[in-house]
Amino acid sequence: YAHKNLNILNASRDITLRAGASVLSATFYNDVLTIVSAGACHAYLVRQGYLKKLVIPDSMDFFTTDEHEISQCHSPLSGLGLFEDLHLQIRECRLAKGDLVVFLTDGAFSRLDEEELRFLMNKKTVSEIESIEEVFELCNQRGNKDNQSAIILQF
């Protein structure tokens, strides 16, 4: 419904002036997490020190292998209101006690590599909230100008 209404508002606008939003949502039942996403968002599983991608951004990332300015490649290829068709990713993951699931918007991951994120999520000397604050701070020190959102689900 939100996608349809925003798409109607955007129809008369130039593509560079359209409003839009990425979305990442989840449900949990019987130890299975189901994630639905559209746009430039990441979801990761942190389990026993390892970091695994659950959802990858639907963005321009796939069109470049240049990691020097990867932060410039996160323009979404899908998202609420941006284009007529909404492309969704749907993933399922069986979770175990002690798992963390981390949801990040592009402003929170675009200037980090996965090894840095894994290190920050596994620091035993800080809480999960402090880890996210460090993620935001590091991205901002590297020139991030985008909004930042993060959610950590603990199991």
Side-chain angles (χ1 to χ4, degrees):
Y1 181 75
H3 170 68
K4 179 182 173 184
N5 287 339
L6 190 51
N7 203 344
I8 290 168
L9 287 172
N10 282 334
S12 62
R13 296 179 180 163
D14 182 72
I15 188 74
T16 61
L17 300 175
R18 292 182 180 185
S22 297
V23 63
L24 191 57
S25 63
T27 61
F28 183 67
Y29 181 72
N30 280 348
D31 297 331
V32 175
L33 183 73
T34 302
I35 301 171
V36 178
S37 73
C41 295
H42 257 301
Y44 291 98
L45 171 65
V46 181
R47 177 181 284 164
Q48 298 177 349
Y50 293 96
L51 186 76
K52 178 182 178 182
K53 289 180 191 176
L54 297 177
V55 170
I56 56 175
D58 189 2
S59 67
M60 299 291 285
D61 289 8
F62 297 110
F63 296 108
T64 184
T65 58
D66 181 10
E67 294 186 15
H68 178 69
E69 280 300 324
I70 195 68
S71 63
Q72 305 303 316
C73 301
H74 295 294
S75 298
L77 297 175
S78 185
L80 300 182
L82 293 177
F83 310 102
E84 187 174 342
D85 291 331
L86 183 62
H87 300 277
L88 299 173
Q89 287 186 64
I90 302 171
R91 302 286 189 265
E92 289 187 336
C93 177
R94 187 166 304 278
L95 297 175
K97 185 175 181 167
D99 286 348
L100 297 178
V101 176
V102 182
F103 291 172
L104 300 169
T105 61
D106 55 348
F109 69 77
S110 65
R111 297 181 184 268
L112 295 177
D113 64 35
E114 288 184 4
E115 187 59 27
E116 291 172 313
L117 183 61
R118 186 189 66 76
F119 174 78
L120 292 172
M121 291 293 103
N122 285 300
K123 286 176 73 172
K124 300 299 181 203
T125 57
V126 298
S127 69
E128 286 80 13
I129 292 173
E130 291 169 316
S131 294
I132 290 299
E133 288 172 350
E134 288 185 35
V135 166
F136 289 172
E137 184 178 325
L138 188 55
C139 286
N140 292 339
Q141 287 173 357
R142 294 178 178 172
N144 176 59
K145 303 266 188 241
D146 202 350
N147 59 2
Q148 297 171 306
S149 298
I151 295 174
I152 297 180
L153 305 174
Q154 300 172 319
F155 296 90

